[in-house]
């Protein structure tokens, strides 16, 4: 085991020592003013900007990508950019509280369906309007939670900074490298918990970089970063000095922690006998759908949205908790065959990449084996497209592949009839509730009117994205991220609780994202008047690495002078 105290140490601190150091750090945390906490975030931001290139180089090494490849853009955007954006949002929230204001002051609030309140978190600044023109994001409250309650509760643990929350264990993810740092910051600032962060073994090479980035937190005893295997993780979960556990991973790992391993653990789960003696929150992925609402599309619309859906699947080679797994089409859509033709081309043409995540090739092989006659594997064997899966008890609907496997299924209907069937299928037949994507022509959305709004409200997912990928919700620092509320330890689905949430809101239910149906300049030429070109997270974006690096630099230190370089790179993508 190595720790954040010692990058290389023949005699690392024991678990008891780490917990004792964090206990003293908790006292320090409770004595720190909001201003001092903001200063810590500022130092972290500077350190991350200084070491961002090192971070991305290590990330590319882990994923066996060339640092000069366009795919390196994924590591810039889902790594340093995401963390720097999160730090900026938290800093603004602390500044509002320090000034005696609600973090929601200056944000637009409106009514959402069924007695909900919508908080518009994107765009918030003029920079947002320029850099992500055409994209919006709202955080919806739970039904019955009023705007006044949202304002009064915003800030969570930072409203009472002296009331600390003990020591939390964060079990980091191994796929997206901003997850563990952002989860750590959420524990510290939302819940006032100091943190023992155990890295996923895949991300162990990032330990030296994370030590540098989080140095001020480590020096004050607010954070310890450790590596280790399953045995160390189990010991940390069971340690009496640790009062809370947060995991990003699979539902299988969650259930082992809560109920124990093997047959005995499964028997306990069936009986509802919890073995874990402390609270746990989680983000556990699931089977994410992309629902295509039938309409009248141009050939360029078909090609662009095929690229969009392939991005939703193949970003990070499918090793994303919200990678689209089931594409839902209308069997009555006149353009269904044309769209499938465009999808096959985009799926086949996508840049090949190594299967770095353990077990990926085995899961792809199992998908082919389980779907004889419908599985289409690209020539290099790296990706699997399942056409068409009948609606039924298929494994593709029940288990997350966490691999480059995309299944296609169809439901009958047009208009509201199709929307009702699609919502019921996604809610009741697919495992998990983390994220759902919807693709619909603007004319179709306008024609459906209130029926389309009802459809979005009916989808029981923690993030719903319309003409955007739910990954945009992940990257929006002030949006909430997590499963739809209501899951239990016995049936955790996509998890319990939320993270990110830079406004530190309470009483939230979901995030709803909207994006442009077409990229600039075609959007303007067809009357949509949005200025975003092909997004830099698209797997087809040729300048993603340059744009991602420039976006990360902007997130760390926003300024007008940086915009021309970002726009120039983005437009070439």
């Amino acid at each position: 085991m190595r720790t954040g105290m010692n990058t290389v140490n023949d005699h690392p601190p024991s678990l008891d020592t780490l917990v004792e150091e964090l206990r003293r750090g908790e006292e320090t945390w409770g004595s720190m003013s909001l201003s001092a906490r903001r200063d810590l975030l500022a130092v972290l931001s500077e350190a991350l900007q200084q070491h961002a290139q090192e971070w991305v180089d290590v990330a590319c090494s882990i994923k066996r990508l060339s640092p000069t490849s366009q795919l390196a853009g994924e590591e810039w955007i889902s790594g340093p950019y995401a963390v720097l954006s999160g730090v900026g949002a938290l800093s603004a929230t602390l500044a509002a509280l320090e000034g005696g204001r609600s973090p929601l002051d200056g944000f637009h609030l409106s009514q959402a369906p069924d007695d909900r309140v919508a908080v518009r978190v994107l765009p918030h600044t003029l920079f947002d309007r320029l850099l992500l023109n055409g994209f919006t994001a709202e955080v919806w409250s739970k039904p019955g939670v009023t705007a006044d309650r949202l304002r009064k509760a915003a800030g969570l643990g930072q409203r009472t900074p002296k009331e600390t929350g003990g020591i939390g264990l964060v079990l980091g993810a191994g796929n997206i490298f901003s997850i563990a740092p952002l989860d750590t910051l959420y524990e510290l600032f939302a819940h006032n918990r100091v943190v023992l962060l155990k890295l996923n073994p895949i991300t162990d090479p990032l330990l030296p970089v994370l030590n540098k980035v989080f140095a001020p937190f480590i020096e004050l005893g607010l954070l310890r970063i450790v590596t280790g295997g399953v045995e160390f993780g189990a010991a940390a979960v069971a340690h009496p000095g640790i009062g809370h556990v947060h995991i990003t991973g699979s539902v299988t790992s969650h259930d082992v922690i809560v109920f124990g391993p093997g047959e005995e653990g499964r028997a306990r789960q069936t009986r509802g006998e919890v073995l874990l003696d402390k609270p746990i929150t989680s983000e556990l992925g699931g089977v994410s759908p992309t629902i295509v609402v039938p309409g009248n599309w141009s050939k360029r619309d078909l090609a662009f949205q095929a690229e969009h859906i392939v991005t939703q699947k193949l970003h990070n080679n499918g090793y994303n908790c919200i990678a689209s797994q089931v594409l839902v089409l209308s069997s009555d859509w006149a353009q269904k065959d044309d769209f499938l033709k465009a999808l096959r081309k985009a799926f086949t043409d996508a840049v090949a990449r190594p299967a770095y995540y353990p077990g990926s090739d085995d899961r792809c092989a199992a998908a082919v084996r389980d779907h004889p006659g419908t599985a289409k594997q690209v020539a290099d064997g790296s990706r699997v497209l399942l056409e068409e899966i009948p609606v039924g008890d298929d494994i593709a609907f029940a288990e997350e592949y966490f691999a480059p496997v995309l299944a296609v299924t169809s439901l009958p209907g047009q208009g509201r009839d199709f929307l009702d069937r699609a919502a019921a299928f996604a809610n009741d037949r697919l495992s998990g509730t983390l994220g759902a994507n919807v693709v619909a022509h603007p004319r179709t959305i306008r024609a459906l009117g209130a029926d389309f709004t009802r459809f979005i409200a009916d989808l029981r997912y923690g993030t719903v994205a319309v003409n955007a990928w739910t990954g945009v919700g992940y990257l929006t620092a002030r949006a909430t991220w997590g499963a739809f509320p209501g899951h239990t330890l016995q049936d955790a689905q996509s998890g319990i609780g939320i993270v990110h949430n830079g406004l530190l809101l309470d009483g939230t239910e979901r995030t709803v994202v909207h994006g442009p149906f077409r990229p600039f300049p075609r959007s303007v030429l067809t009357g949509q008047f949005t200025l975003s070109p092909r997004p830099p997270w698209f797997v087809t974006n040729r300048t993603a690495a340059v744009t991602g690096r420039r976006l990360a630099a902007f997130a760390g230190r926003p300024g007008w002078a940086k915009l021309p370089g970002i726009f120039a790179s983005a437009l070439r993508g």
Side-chain angles (χ1 to χ4, degrees):
M1 180 187 70
R2 292 172 293 161
T3 77
M5 287 290 289
N6 301 281
T7 304
V8 178
N9 189 342
D10 293 334
H11 303 286
S14 67
L15 181 56
D16 286 339
T17 299
L18 293 169
V19 170
E20 178 57 26
E21 290 169 349
L22 287 167
R23 189 194 62 76
R24 292 195 296 269
E26 182 186 4
E27 295 176 1
T28 301
W29 188 234
S31 69
M32 292 182 68
S33 66
L34 295 177
S35 176
R37 295 179 180 199
R38 276 202 302 126
D39 289 343
L40 274 181
L41 288 173
V43 176
L44 186 157
S45 178
E46 290 295 327
L48 181 48
Q49 292 171 69
Q50 180 182 352
H51 297 289
Q53 184 67 61
E54 180 184 358
W55 172 312
V56 172
D57 288 345
V58 174
C60 287
S61 175
I62 293 170
K63 298 183 180 182
R64 305 202 296 276
L65 302 173
S66 168
T68 60
S69 163
Q70 68 188 59
L71 298 177
E74 295 179 0
E75 301 313 309
W76 278 105
I77 293 170
S78 68
Y81 171 80
V83 178
L84 287 165
S85 297
V87 167
L90 284 173
S91 296
T93 291
L94 292 183
L97 293 169
E98 190 180 352
R101 307 185 308 277
S102 168
L104 274 178
D105 288 354
F107 285 82
H108 178 72
L109 276 64
S110 61
Q111 286 300 123
D114 302 326
D115 198 25
R116 297 176 174 95
V117 175
V119 180
R120 190 180 67 192
V121 295
L122 180 75
H124 178 58
T125 68
L126 179 57
F127 288 141
D128 291 340
R129 290 179 172 84
L130 292 171
L131 289 172
L132 288 167
N133 190 264
F135 287 89
T136 66
E138 294 179 336
V139 174
W140 287 11
S141 73
K142 295 175 182 176
V145 174
T146 64
D148 184 59
R149 177 180 159 188
L150 285 173
R151 287 192 181 92
K152 288 179 178 177
L156 294 177
Q158 299 311 293
R159 300 186 69 86
T160 55
K162 295 184 184 300
E163 299 176 12
T164 55
I167 301 171
L169 171 66
V170 171
L171 299 172
N175 58 332
I176 294 293
F177 298 159
S178 59
I179 292 176
L182 288 172
D183 290 353
T184 294
L185 291 172
Y186 198 68
E187 287 290 290
L188 280 159
F189 288 91
H191 303 297
N192 263 343
R193 281 192 281 266
V194 295
V195 175
L196 176 65
L197 167 60
K198 194 196 91 64
L199 298 179
N200 184 294
I202 293 174
T203 67
D204 284 357
L206 275 172
L207 177 64
V209 182
L210 294 177
N211 283 344
K212 297 169 188 175
V213 170
F214 280 97
F217 290 84
I218 293 169
E219 290 165 5
L220 291 171
L222 312 178
L223 171 65
R224 292 290 180 265
I225 310 175
V226 300
T227 62
V230 173
E231 288 184 2
F232 178 82
V237 166
H239 197 284
I242 289 175
H244 183 273
V245 177
H246 178 80
I247 177 175
T248 299
S250 70
V251 69
T252 301
S253 297
H254 168 274
D255 291 346
V256 168
I257 290 171
V258 174
F259 300 103
E263 291 296 331
E264 289 186 10
R266 287 187 284 274
R268 287 192 198 94
Q269 184 174 6
T270 300
R271 296 191 301 267
E273 296 176 2
V274 175
L275 192 64
L276 185 68
D277 63 350
K278 59 199 66 172
I280 183 172
T281 52
S282 51
E283 192 265 78
L284 307 173
V287 176
S288 293
T290 296
I291 299 166
V292 177
V293 182
N296 185 15
W297 298 10
S298 71
K299 288 184 178 179
R300 297 183 72 180
D301 292 339
L302 293 168
F304 178 75
Q305 291 301 339
E307 286 182 33
H308 190 188
I309 290 166
V310 166
T311 291
Q312 294 172 11
K313 173 73 270 181
L314 295 182
H315 181 281
N316 197 33
N317 208 35
Y319 313 133
N320 288 331
C321 47
I322 36 86
S324 181
Q325 180 160 309
V326 177
L327 176 61
V328 183
L329 303 177
S330 168
S331 56
D332 297 322
W333 185 24
Q335 294 180 293
K336 175 189 167 188
D337 290 342
D338 291 335
F339 181 69
L340 283 174
K341 181 179 179 181
L343 180 76
R344 292 185 201 106
K345 183 178 189 307
F347 197 77
T348 302
D349 291 350
V351 178
R353 61 178 95 198
Y356 76 88
Y357 208 91
S360 174
D361 289 338
D362 291 340
R363 292 189 290 276
C364 285
V368 173
R369 187 172 59 250
D370 291 340
H371 298 88
T374 61
K376 293 181 173 63
Q377 201 160 11
V378 298
D380 62 5
S382 62
R383 301 182 289 281
V384 179
L385 186 63
L386 305 176
E387 295 183 48
E388 282 197 29
I389 307 300
V391 174
D393 296 328
D394 195 280
I395 191 171
F397 304 153
E399 295 184 13
E400 181 183 13
Y401 278 117
F402 214 71
V405 179
L406 177 64
V408 181
T409 194
S410 297
L411 301 170
Q414 301 265 19
R416 180 173 176 174
D417 179 50
F418 174 76
L419 297 183
D420 289 344
R421 292 175 188 270
F425 173 77
N427 288 338
D428 302 333
R429 302 297 294 275
L430 301 183
S431 174
T433 65
L434 186 61
N437 312 283
V438 179
V439 179
H441 194 290
R443 281 197 306 268
T444 303
I445 294 174
R446 288 194 297 271
L448 288 165
D451 287 340
F452 190 81
T453 302
R454 178 74 266 156
F455 166 62
I456 298 303
D458 285 345
L459 289 169
R460 296 194 297 269
Y461 286 84
T463 299
V464 178
V466 179
N467 292 332
W469 179 33
T470 48
V472 178
Y474 176 92
L475 292 172
T476 302
R478 293 180 174 89
T480 55
W481 185 251
F484 195 79
H487 300 315
T488 65
L489 291 177
Q490 201 168 359
D491 183 20
Q493 293 276 321
S494 289
I496 298 169
I498 59 170
V499 289
H500 300 191
N501 187 25
L503 291 168
L504 301 180
L505 301 175
D506 193 22
T508 62
E509 180 186 72
R510 72 176 84 189
T511 288
V512 178
V513 176
H514 286 260
F517 182 73
R518 302 182 177 101
F520 177 84
R522 196 160 57 89
S523 57
V524 173
L525 297 175
T526 55
Q528 196 175 9
F529 302 107
T530 58
L531 303 179
S532 290
R534 176 184 282 107
W537 53 84
F538 265 42
V539 296
T540 51
N541 191 300
R542 297 184 300 272
T543 61
V546 174
T547 305
R549 174 168 51 80
R550 292 176 180 176
L551 283 171
F554 180 88
R557 197 174 292 113
W560 292 102
K562 296 178 180 177
L563 294 182
I566 295 173
F567 292 149
S569 178
L571 288 169
R572 292 195 303 270

